[in-house]
């Protein structure tokens, strides 16, 4: 065996230059194998090959070979584009990273979109490893060549590279880059204009402010009035970035006219995009402009003639309302937003986010506008809708006050307890617990406990069990007195129920409410019943009864 | 006309691999409509006299007034609104259609802009969103255009106008310009097949009469296709546009311009990669074959292109490709055949050994084609070695007896064509396989050595290289 030192992997495999074991020819054969699967595997292990060759031969032989044979299956090209993005060290470090540019440049012109995109991604990655000199000497010329390519694929790829090379080059080169970007924004082919529009925001972020105002704004306005709606809608996306970069006083003149135009574009796709980006726009333009411009625009979107646009806007209502300036928030919501929203779920959503509804709209108005919606939703055929309403109940109850609740909403809450969907019954039980916590044990005793206990006689065993589940949930909140006086007798009575499920749930209930009761009661009343159940015919009843006995330490 | 509820897919679908499962129960698709911004108040149009009832010299003027009236667009989503006026517009449009077909001397210069305006107002609109992330053009019923009662007549009118003896492109070209054509092309994405059919005729007439717009039209169709292939894979009007292109290609002068050749290689061939190929494959294949009949030297790039995009996982598409390939081979020149026979038969060899019996069968049917057989025979010394291994193997291993039978016939044909070579290949079959296995093993060892090297490098210690 021959020994050779191999400091930091920089040198080749043999210290004396003997590479007969790994001739590049053999390795290249692998890369040229007829079977595409084998080629693909070889490409995926390109780093292994590069390691075997060492950095110099990788630079001088492997990379040129790869550059010349870019006529392969897209799968192989994709793998190659990805590998090359991680090749910096394998070619000898940042000093040599520009050697990776020729193969990546070819890959960036390939027809297949995923290959191009990956090549651009890798180029972006390695751009950061280039020194400013290398950027000017190698990278930027590549971008220029791509930007002047005659098939649209290379020009599209160029769009993704401007922002990574701009920051660190000299001002003459910067001017060139800006010019190229301008050209692509008014390219003949819509594909290129789309690519440019989608990178507009990113590019604006790396430009100096004066150029943002001079160059970007005019490009933005032009793209926002493009004849193709697919281009216009990308300009809307860019709008957010641009607005964040400009000082407030410039927004009104430079950005708002275009944005207003977009919100009323004749194509629903553009309006949809505005609706979709609305919260971001709101943050970008600030509270003043929001009040004056965005609120009316939002109103129109909520009333748009196209359902998709309305839906997109409705999705943003909550966020929009939350981000309104505090002083005017509630007025804006109540007078401008709420009337435009037809969908009851969204209305509820808005209301529940108001801190103090009573102050802003009176109870009467609330009950008129909201109650029908609540009732409708509470009885909706779809159980998930019903579930959503239940989850609002405690909040609403708190806001509306106990009298309103008793009058209007109590019966709803009780009806949910006997819903045919288990998830609803469960949520309703939990709801009751929260209500008791809000309104107090005495209220519970007067209003809901009687009704809950009444269900113990329901012919449907599922409803009888609901009584038990409610008792489980409420006992702690209601306290020892109510539990002992009112709930316990009902539970004990149900130990004689015909249905085994009810009986074993009685055992479980007793286990649950046991801690709330005093020890006399436990010994005198609970223990005998549990002992009886422990001798029940049904094995589940026996099991749970025995467990309750041991947990309550009644043995 | 309301769209009927979707009937469940027919149970006689033979292809068990079709991904359209019976599970899909689509609901009735409601009619969609172009966006209509309602003004809220009812529309009032003052009824005008009939054209046949006024003296000839007044007709052109009345014609213009009627055109202007028809610029008013009605909301068909609201089925009850403006019924009387909708009917009035419909009968006016009807009248205009007849008038344009039979009349003489009505087409003054002022009429052109009014006609184009009326048509634009009615047909140009942003198409509504389709519910269609789920819309499967093969299975689901398309959403029909609600305002079709008017729309159809507008299209009918426009076509008669364009075909009228009095029509003068030199005047019309001021109004039927690039902007008009661009909007027209966007409408091809309509889900309503009736509309696309009319658009096809309209575009075809415009292409025929406006020489100045031809390059522009071709370019925009290019952009539509490129976007379809590389960005969205969604466009409803591909088949219709390809039909028009078929007749355009037919009319290309020789020698073919570079622009057209580029279109073939960079647009038509990539169109084969789209998932929804079955919707327009017939039209696409027709275009390809047209090209090859015009210029046979294009055969090699076409076939190489098809081979590059050969379907890897969709058997339905593979069968389509094989069909198209056969159509190409039907018209191929022997000199061109020789240029691509090697890569071509390598692919065919893979197809005949495909476990999907429809693919194998379709490929084996090539041997029923007399012309293809004659080409194979002429070049059997090249083709036989390529095909032999697969054929031999399947004759012993394929699960489908029908395929095995077909393969035996093919082997027999080869034996008769070139028995010496056949015997030679049979004899060396075994040793060839063994040689391949050995090579495989050597490759694995090479990679293992390379990986060991990588590991050692990774440890940054002294590297031991085995001699």
């Amino acid at each position: 065996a021959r020994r050779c030192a191999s400091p930091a992997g920089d040198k080749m495999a043999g210290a004396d230059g003997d590479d007969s074991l790994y001739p590049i020819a053999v390795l290249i054969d692998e890369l040229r194998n007829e079977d595409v699967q084998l080629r693909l595997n070889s490409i995926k292990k390109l780093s292994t090959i590069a390691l075997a060759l060492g950095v110099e031969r990788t630079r001088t032989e492997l990379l040129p070979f790869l550059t010349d044979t870019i006529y392969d299956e897209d799968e192989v090209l994709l793998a190659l584009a990805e590998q090359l993005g991680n090749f910096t060290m394998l070619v000898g470090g940042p000093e040599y990273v520009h050697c990776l540019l020729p193969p990546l440049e070819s890959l960036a012109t390939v027809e297949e979109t995923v290959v191009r995109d990956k090549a651009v991604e890798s180029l972006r990655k390695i751009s950061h490893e280039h020194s400013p000199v290398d950027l000017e000497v190698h990278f930027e010329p590549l971008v220029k060549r791509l930007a002047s390519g005659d098939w649209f694929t290379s020009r599209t790829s160029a769009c993704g590279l401007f922002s990574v090379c701009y920051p660190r080059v000299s001002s003459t080169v910067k001017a060139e880059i800006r010019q190229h970007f301008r050209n692509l924004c008014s390219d003949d082919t819509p594909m290129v204009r789309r690519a440019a529009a989608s990178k507009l925001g990113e590019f604006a972020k790396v430009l100096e402010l004066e150029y943002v105002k001079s160059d970007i704004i005019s490009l933005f306005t032009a793209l926002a009035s493009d004849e193709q709606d697919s281009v216009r809608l990308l300009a809307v996306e860019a709008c957010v970035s641009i607005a964040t970069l400009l000082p407030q006083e410039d927004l009104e003149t430079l950005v708002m006219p275009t944005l207003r135009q977009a919100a009323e574009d004749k194509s629903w796709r553009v309006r949809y995009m505005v609706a979709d980006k609305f919260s971001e726009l709101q943050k970008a333009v600030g509270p003043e402009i929001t009040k004056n411009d965005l609120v009316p625009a939002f109103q129109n979107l909520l009333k748009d003639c196209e359902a998709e646009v309305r839906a997109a806007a409705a999705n943003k209502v909550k966020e929009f309302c939350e981000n309104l300036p505090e002083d005017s928030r509630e007025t804006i919501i109540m007078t401008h937003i709420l009337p435009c929203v037809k969908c009851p779920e969204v209305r509820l959503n808005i209301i529940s986010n108001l801190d103090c509804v009573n102050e802003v709209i009176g109870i009467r108005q609330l009950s008129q506008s909201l109650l029908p919606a609540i009732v409708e939703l509470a009885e909706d055929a779809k159980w998930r809708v019903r579930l959503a309403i239940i989850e609002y109940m405690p909040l609403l109850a708190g806001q509306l006050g106990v009298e309103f609740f008793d009058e209007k909403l109590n019966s709803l809450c009780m009806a949910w307890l006997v819903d045919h969907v288990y998830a609803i019954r469960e949520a309703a039980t939990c709801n009751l617990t929260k209500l008791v916590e809000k309104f107090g044990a005495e209220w519970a005793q007067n209003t809901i406990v009687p009704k809950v206990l009444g269900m113990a006689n329901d012919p449907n065993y599922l409803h009888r069990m609901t009584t038990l589940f409610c008792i489980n949930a409420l006992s702690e909140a209601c306290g020892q007195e109510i539990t002992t006086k009112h709930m316990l007798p009902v539970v004990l009575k149900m130990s004689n129920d015909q249905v085994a499920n009810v009986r074993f749930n009685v055992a479980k209930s007793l286990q649950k409410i046991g801690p709330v009761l005093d020890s006399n009661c436990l010994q005198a009343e609970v223990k005998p019943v549990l002992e009886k159940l422990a001798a029940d015919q049904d094995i589940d009843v026996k099991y749970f009864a025995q467990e309750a006995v041991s947990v309550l330490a009644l043995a | 006309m309301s769209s009927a509820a979707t009937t469940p897919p027919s149970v006689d679908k033979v292809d068990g691999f079709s991904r359209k499962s019976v599970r899909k129960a689509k609901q009735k698709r409601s009619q969609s409509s172009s966006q209509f911004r309602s003004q809220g108040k009812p529309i009032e149009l003052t009824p005008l006299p009939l054209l046949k009832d006024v003296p000839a010299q007044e007709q052109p003027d009345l014609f213009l007034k009627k055109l202007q009236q028809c610029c008013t667009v009605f909301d068909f989503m609201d089925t009850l609104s403006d019924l009387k006026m909708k009917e009035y517009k419909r009968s006016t449009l009807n009248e205009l259609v007849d008038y344009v077909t039979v009349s003489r001397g009505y087409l003054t210069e002022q009429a052109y802009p009014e006609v184009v305006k009326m048509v634009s107002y009615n047909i140009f609109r942003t198409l509504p969103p389709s519910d269609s992330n789920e819309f499967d053009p093969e299975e689901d019923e398309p959403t029909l255009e609600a305002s079709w009662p008017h729309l159809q007549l507008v299209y009918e009118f426009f076509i008669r106008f364009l075909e009228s003896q009095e029509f003068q492109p030199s005047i019309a070209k001021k109004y039927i310009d690039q902007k008009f054509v661009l909007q027209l092309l966007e409408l091809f994405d309509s889900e309503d097949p009736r509309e696309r059919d009319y658009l096809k005729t309209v575009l075809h007439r415009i292409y025929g009469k406006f020489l100045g717009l031809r390059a522009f039209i071709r370019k925009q169709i290019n952009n539509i296709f490129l976007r379809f292939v590389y960005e969205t894979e969604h466009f409803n009007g591909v088949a219709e546009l390809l039909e028009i292109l078929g007749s355009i290609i037919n009319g290309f002068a020789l020698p073919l311009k570079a622009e057209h050749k580029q279109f073939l290689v960079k647009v038509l061939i990539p169109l084969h990669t789209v998932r929804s190929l079955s919707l327009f494959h017939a039209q696409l294949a027709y275009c390809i074959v047209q090209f090859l009949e015009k210029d046979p030297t294009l055969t090699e790039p076409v076939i190489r292109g098809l081979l590059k995009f050969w379907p890897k996982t969709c058997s339905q598409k593979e069968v389509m490709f094989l069909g198209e390939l056969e159509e190409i081979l039907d018209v191929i020149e022997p000199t061109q055949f020789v240029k691509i026979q090697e890569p071509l038969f390598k692919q065919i060899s893979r197809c005949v050994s495909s476990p999907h019996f429809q693919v194998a069968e379709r490929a084996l049917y090539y041997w029923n084609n007399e012309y293809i057989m004659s080409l194979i025979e002429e070049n059997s010394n090249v083709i036989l070695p390529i095909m032999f291994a697969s054929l031999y193997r399947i004759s012993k291993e394929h699960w489908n007896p029908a395929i095995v039978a077909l393969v035996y016939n093919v082997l027999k044909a080869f034996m008769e064509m070139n028995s010496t070579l056949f015997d030679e290949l049979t004899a060396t079959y075994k040793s060839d396989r063994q040689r391949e296995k050995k090579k495989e093993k050597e490759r694995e060892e090479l990679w293992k050595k390379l990986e060991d090297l990588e590991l050692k490098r990774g440890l940054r210690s002294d590297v031991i290289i085995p001699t």
Side-chain angles (χ1 to χ4, degrees):
Chain A
R2 221 181 282 131
R3 276 183 180 278
C4 47
S6 148
D10 277 359
K11 290 285 188 317
M12 298 185 310
D16 55 351
D18 178 65
D19 51 281
S20 55
L21 298 164
Y22 304 109
I24 183 147
V26 171
L27 297 167
I28 285 179
D29 260 352
E30 283 299 294
L31 292 167
R32 277 210 281 242
N33 193 297
E34 267 199 16
D35 185 338
V36 67
Q37 209 45 51
L38 293 173
R39 285 204 302 283
L40 189 56
N41 288 338
S42 307
I43 290 284
K44 286 189 177 163
K45 301 203 188 133
L46 204 61
S47 47
T48 311
I49 296 181
L51 216 62
L53 290 176
V55 293
E56 202 176 315
R57 293 185 70 195
T58 300
R59 287 198 304 267
T60 55
E61 292 175 53
L62 182 60
L63 288 181
F65 165 73
L66 291 173
T67 314
D68 290 337
T69 58
I70 304 276
Y71 296 112
D72 206 328
E73 300 258 342
D74 292 327
E75 268 184 290
V76 177
L77 296 181
L78 178 62
L80 179 58
E82 181 156 18
Q83 288 284 312
L84 290 175
N86 297 319
F87 245 54
T88 311
M89 290 321 292
L90 293 166
V91 291
E95 207 185 320
Y96 296 102
V97 70
H98 59 91
C99 297
L100 297 172
L101 296 181
L104 282 171
E105 185 174 346
S106 303
L107 290 168
T109 61
V110 161
E111 313 279 307
E112 177 51 52
T113 320
V114 295
V115 176
R116 271 190 271 143
D117 286 349
K118 185 57 84 175
V120 170
E121 193 185 305
S122 291
L123 280 166
R124 285 163 71 110
K125 231 196 235 176
I126 64 174
S127 73
H128 300 303
E129 317 259 13
H130 282 68
S131 68
V133 172
D134 278 340
L135 275 182
E136 284 200 22
V137 173
H138 300 284
F139 200 87
E140 196 260 351
L142 176 156
V143 179
K144 263 204 305 223
R145 283 192 299 273
L146 286 176
S148 337
D150 37 66
W151 193 239
F152 77 95
T153 47
S154 53
R155 301 200 299 278
T156 316
S157 296
C159 291
L161 299 172
F162 291 119
S163 56
V164 292
C165 75
Y166 188 86
R168 294 188 290 142
V169 296
S170 69
S171 46
T172 358
V173 178
K174 283 188 181 181
E176 274 179 30
I177 296 180
R178 290 196 304 274
Q179 179 60 48
H180 279 289
F181 190 74
R182 269 202 295 278
N183 294 343
L184 294 183
C185 284
S186 46
D187 192 283
D188 225 9
T189 354
M191 281 82 73
V192 178
R193 296 201 303 275
R194 276 193 286 275
S198 62
K199 296 293 180 208
L200 188 62
E202 182 188 277
F203 191 52
K205 287 202 183 118
V206 302
L207 286 185
E208 298 84 358
L209 188 56
E210 58 177 295
Y211 295 118
V212 174
K213 288 196 205 180
S214 63
D215 285 30
I216 296 290
I217 293 298
S218 54
L219 293 173
F220 167 63
T221 329
L223 289 169
S225 336
D226 193 283
E227 62 194 3
Q228 302 249 347
D229 64 357
S230 53
V231 177
R232 297 199 301 274
L233 66 85
L234 289 168
V236 173
E237 273 201 69
C239 191
V240 178
S241 310
I242 296 174
T244 16
L245 294 169
L246 294 172
Q248 276 286 311
E249 56 269 15
D250 288 323
L251 286 179
E252 184 52 53
T253 37
L254 298 177
V255 170
M256 288 318 295
T258 315
L259 187 54
R260 271 181 225 123
Q261 183 189 316
E264 301 181 348
D265 195 290
K266 64 183 194 309
S267 165
W268 65 268
R269 293 189 183 90
V270 180
R271 302 195 307 271
Y272 177 91
M273 186 57 89
V274 175
D276 198 52
K277 298 282 168 207
F278 218 76
S279 313
E280 287 130 303
L281 286 168
Q282 183 186 14
K283 289 196 191 101
V285 303
E288 267 313 301
I289 300 186
T290 300
K291 245 196 296 192
N292 300 328
D293 273 284
L294 291 193
V295 171
F298 199 54
Q299 277 179 295
N300 288 334
L301 291 171
L302 286 167
K303 295 188 283 195
D304 196 279
C305 57
E306 197 54 71
E308 302 251 345
V309 179
R310 291 197 302 272
N315 247 338
K316 298 289 171 185
V317 164
K318 177 165 177 213
E319 233 183 301
F320 182 71
C321 292
E322 279 171 358
N323 291 321
L324 286 170
E326 273 204 34
D327 53 350
S328 38
R329 180 183 305 165
E330 294 187 351
T331 346
I332 295 181
I333 296 180
M334 295 314 299
T335 45
H336 295 288
I337 306 295
L338 204 54
C340 301
V341 177
K342 297 291 171 244
C343 167
E345 277 168 49
V346 183
R347 293 174 79 108
L348 266 176
N349 201 334
I350 305 175
I351 298 282
S352 58
N353 284 303
L354 293 178
D355 287 327
C356 187
V357 176
N358 291 347
E359 278 175 13
V360 181
I361 53 174
I363 288 293
R364 198 162 300 278
Q365 189 182 344
L366 188 64
S367 67
Q368 275 168 11
S369 65
L370 269 190
L371 202 49
I374 296 178
V375 172
E376 194 183 315
L377 288 171
E379 297 172 353
D380 193 289
K382 301 199 251 312
W383 67 270
R384 287 184 209 273
V385 177
R386 301 201 293 281
L387 190 62
I389 294 300
I390 298 182
E391 281 162 14
Y392 277 124
M393 266 304 127
L395 184 59
L396 273 178
Q399 283 176 344
L400 298 171
V402 69
E403 278 137 24
F404 184 88
F405 177 83
D406 277 341
E407 203 185 304
K408 309 278 185 190
L409 298 174
N410 201 334
S411 48
L412 273 181
C413 291
M414 299 311 299
W416 284 326
L417 286 174
V418 294
D419 192 286
H420 58 272
V421 173
Y422 173 74
I424 301 290
R425 296 199 298 276
E426 189 185 23
T429 311
C430 176
N431 176 40
L432 280 189
T433 317
K434 295 206 184 110
L435 290 173
V436 173
E437 283 165 12
K438 241 190 209 350
F439 292 148
E442 202 185 309
W443 169 82
Q445 186 179 357
N446 294 331
T447 52
I448 60 172
V449 169
K451 296 195 188 145
V452 167
L453 298 180
M455 281 196 306
N457 299 318
D458 196 294
N460 184 334
Y461 84 96
L462 290 170
H463 296 172
R464 300 201 293 279
M465 290 203 316
T466 305
T467 303
L468 290 171
F469 299 145
C470 282
I471 292 177
N472 291 351
L474 293 174
S475 63
E476 204 175 309
C478 286
Q480 196 183 72
E481 203 191 312
I482 298 180
T483 309
T484 320
K485 246 171 81 177
H486 300 278
M487 297 185 180
L488 184 59
V490 174
V491 177
L492 296 175
K493 184 153 168 247
M494 285 206 269
S495 66
N496 295 320
D497 196 289
Q498 282 179 21
V499 177
N501 299 54
V502 180
R503 296 200 303 279
F504 79 63
N505 271 300
V506 166
K508 288 170 95 172
S509 269
L510 289 172
Q511 177 179 327
K512 183 84 178 21
I513 68 176
V516 178
L517 304 168
D518 70 44
S519 57
N520 283 337
C521 177
L522 280 174
Q523 287 293 332
E525 303 189 52
V526 175
K527 183 167 166 187
V529 171
L530 280 177
E531 282 172 348
K532 181 185 77 186
L533 290 175
D536 194 287
Q537 282 180 332
D538 185 288
I539 52 167
D540 290 317
V541 179
K542 270 205 274 233
Y543 172 81
F544 284 113
Q546 282 163 356
E547 174 151 322
V549 165
S550 84
V551 167
L552 293 175
L554 290 177
Chain B
M1 171 170 149
S2 64
S3 46
T6 313
T7 48
S10 150
V11 291
D12 351 302
K13 265 209 175 141
V14 179
D15 186 357
F17 288 89
S18 165
R19 66 180 177 85
K20 322 305 188 278
S21 73
V22 205
R23 276 176 280 130
K24 257 214 256 185
K26 274 306 268 235
Q27 285 145 336
K28 172 171 152 28
R29 301 213 16 113
S30 55
Q31 290 186 329
S32 164
S33 174
S34 41
Q35 103 299 24
F36 174 79
R37 312 282 192 108
S38 161
Q39 309 303 323
K41 41 190 187 334
I43 304 176
E44 279 303 325
L45 295 169
T46 338
L48 295 168
L50 293 178
L51 283 160
K52 63 179 167 60
D53 293 341
V54 306
Q57 68 265 37
E58 287 175 41
Q59 282 180 355
D61 213 48
L62 183 56
F63 179 62
L64 291 182
K65 288 209 182 74
K66 289 192 183 250
L67 284 174
Q68 280 152 8
Q69 279 195 331
C70 289
C71 287
T72 319
V73 181
F74 291 88
D75 180 5
F76 276 80
M77 288 303 275
D78 181 353
T79 42
L80 297 176
S81 70
D82 298 315
L83 284 175
K84 198 153 155 247
M85 290 293 104
K86 282 178 184 166
E87 178 48 37
Y88 171 70
K89 179 175 170 181
R90 199 199 59 79
S91 67
T92 308
L93 283 170
N94 232 329
E95 196 194 357
L96 291 174
V97 171
D98 289 335
Y99 187 66
V100 159
T101 319
V102 303
S103 304
R104 301 276 169 271
Y106 69 95
L107 210 46
T108 61
E109 244 191 80
Q110 297 99 302
Y112 285 81
E114 293 303 319
V115 168
V116 173
K117 186 165 144 213
M118 189 275 280
V119 170
S120 306
Y121 273 45
N122 276 280
I123 68 176
F124 290 155
R125 62 211 194 274
T126 311
L127 294 168
S130 45
D131 293 334
S132 95
N133 293 337
E134 318 272 319
F135 176 57
D136 181 347
E138 283 186 31
E139 278 218 346
D140 302 331
E141 302 233 333
T143 314
L144 299 176
E145 181 52 55
S147 49
W148 193 245
H150 286 178
L151 218 50
Q152 179 194 17
L153 292 170
V154 173
Y155 279 116
E156 198 63 61
F157 167 77
F158 193 47
I159 292 175
R160 310 268 179 115
F161 169 74
L162 291 170
E163 292 175 345
S164 156
Q165 279 190 358
E166 314 221 327
F167 180 77
Q168 289 177 289
S170 49
I171 307 178
K173 72 180 183 189
K174 275 183 272 186
Y175 310 102
I176 300 183
D177 57 6
Q178 291 190 349
K179 186 148 181 261
F180 185 91
V181 165
L182 192 59
Q183 290 177 287
L184 196 71
L185 284 168
E186 281 172 17
L187 288 176
F188 273 81
D189 197 14
S190 168
E191 262 184 50
D192 192 327
R194 304 168 298 186
E195 180 166 20
R196 294 199 304 268
D197 201 65
Y198 271 110
L199 285 165
K200 193 174 60 175
T201 315
V202 169
L203 186 65
H204 190 263
R205 300 290 181 269
I206 293 181
Y207 191 88
K209 294 181 186 270
F210 294 86
L211 281 70
L213 285 174
R214 288 185 181 181
F216 180 78
I217 292 176
R218 290 196 303 268
K219 183 136 174 286
Q220 296 313 317
I221 295 182
N222 262 27
N223 286 342
I224 291 177
F225 284 167
L226 287 171
R227 183 164 185 222
F228 174 63
V229 172
Y230 294 114
E231 290 182 26
T232 62
E233 286 214 13
H234 166 90
F235 192 76
N236 291 311
V238 178
E240 284 81 5
L241 288 175
L242 283 171
E243 267 187 65
I244 299 180
L245 281 167
S247 67
I248 293 178
I249 296 169
N250 216 310
F252 279 161
L254 292 171
L256 285 179
K257 285 197 258 182
E259 173 207 331
H260 303 321
K261 294 192 209 179
Q262 187 186 64
F263 169 67
L264 170 65
V265 172
K266 296 235 180 180
V267 181
L268 287 188
I269 301 285
L271 266 176
H272 287 82
T273 59
V274 178
R275 196 178 312 176
S276 50
L277 180 64
S278 57
L279 295 175
F280 54 85
H281 184 243
Q283 293 87 344
L284 181 58
Y286 177 78
C287 285
I288 301 281
V289 172
Q290 285 296 294
F291 256 108
L292 295 179
E293 288 190 332
K294 286 268 168 185
D295 184 354
T297 63
L298 294 169
T299 309
E300 190 176 348
V302 166
I303 295 191
R304 285 200 186 273
L306 287 179
L307 292 175
K308 177 174 180 197
F309 293 132
W310 201 266
K312 295 183 168 60
T313 53
C314 182
S315 309
Q316 202 186 31
K317 256 185 153 192
E318 241 187 303
V319 173
M320 279 189 263
F321 269 56
L322 285 166
E324 184 172 342
L325 209 47
E326 188 170 357
E327 282 181 62
I328 294 175
L329 291 174
D330 270 337
V331 301
I332 198 171
E333 289 182 357
T335 40
Q336 296 298 323
F337 181 84
V338 169
K339 285 191 193 163
I340 41 83
Q341 60 185 346
E342 276 188 52
L344 175 63
F345 278 89
K346 283 194 182 128
Q347 180 58 61
I348 294 180
S349 160
R350 285 194 281 271
C351 288
V352 302
S353 43
S354 169
H356 192 291
F357 89 93
Q358 274 184 334
V359 173
E361 189 182 56
R362 188 68 188 80
L364 288 165
Y365 276 176
Y366 279 19
W367 273 259
N368 289 349
N369 184 313
E370 270 185 44
Y371 183 56
I372 297 182
M373 280 296 278
S374 68
L375 292 167
I376 295 179
E377 194 159 0
E378 262 176 48
N379 298 284
S380 62
N381 53 326
V382 174
I383 297 178
L384 182 50
I386 299 175
M387 298 280 323
F388 187 82
S390 316
L391 291 171
Y392 193 88
R393 199 182 73 243
I394 317 170
S395 66
K396 303 202 179 306
E397 283 179 12
H398 204 275
W399 63 270
N400 190 307
I403 299 295
V404 175
L406 284 170
V407 167
Y408 268 118
N409 286 339
V410 172
L411 283 170
K412 198 160 136 240
F414 269 126
M415 199 157 46
E416 285 164 10
M417 269 184 222
N418 194 332
S419 51
T420 13
L421 183 54
F422 191 90
D423 292 332
E424 214 181 287
L425 288 167
T426 322
T428 56
Y429 180 74
K430 253 213 179 109
S431 58
D432 280 343
R433 299 287 82 67
Q434 279 173 347
R435 214 175 329 132
E436 272 175 25
K437 276 208 180 115
K438 185 157 175 280
K439 255 171 71 185
E440 191 54 43
K441 203 147 180 292
E442 283 171 6
R443 172 179 307 108
E444 279 178 30
E445 283 173 13
L446 170 67
W447 279 107
K448 184 128 197 331
K449 279 198 213 141
L450 286 176
E451 273 158 24
D452 287 343
L453 178 64
E454 194 173 4
L455 278 170
K456 287 179 190 145
R457 283 269 171 84
L459 293 172
R460 291 184 180 224
S461 55
D462 284 354
V463 179
I464 303 182
I465 312 292
T467 36

